[in-house]
Amino acid sequence: MSDAPMPTHFILTDESHVKLALVSEHVRYMARLLEAGAATNLTDDDLRPDAMTWWIDQIGRELGRIVESARWTGLPTAR
């Protein structure tokens, strides 16, 4: 008999899974865009702090909606 807890499985709706994949791709794109050297091709308007704040806020909201939509088979027991 194992003392290991049963694994918890998180379930996303199809829509949330697609949104998560899109957010993942968007974050990778933004990382490439802002890599050293790549940012030299951007204008100051592209890198304005308020524009970046808006983008980070949007990603945070989308991830929040995805997390809220998740269902699980059970939560691990606190030790």
Side-chain angles (χ1 to χ4, degrees):
M1 186 164 118
S2 173
D3 290 336
M6 294 296 293
T8 299
H9 298 277
F10 291 89
I11 302 160
L12 295 176
T13 63
D14 292 343
E15 179 183 358
S16 289
H17 183 262
V18 169
K19 285 182 181 180
L20 186 59
L22 291 173
V23 166
S24 175
E25 287 300 313
H26 195 159
V27 169
R28 276 197 285 272
Y29 171 75
M30 290 300 289
R32 283 195 321 263
L33 185 64
L34 298 174
E35 282 176 348
T40 59
N41 296 325
L42 300 173
T43 66
D44 287 342
D45 287 339
D46 294 328
L47 294 174
R48 288 189 347 237
D50 60 324
M52 293 303 294
T53 300
W54 178 88
W55 178 78
I56 291 167
D57 186 55
Q58 293 302 308
I59 293 296
R61 287 174 193 249
E62 193 63 39
L63 288 173
R65 285 190 287 270
I66 292 167
V67 168
E68 287 175 9
S69 75
R71 300 293 173 252
W72 57 86
T73 59
L75 291 176
T77 323
R79 290 186 179 216

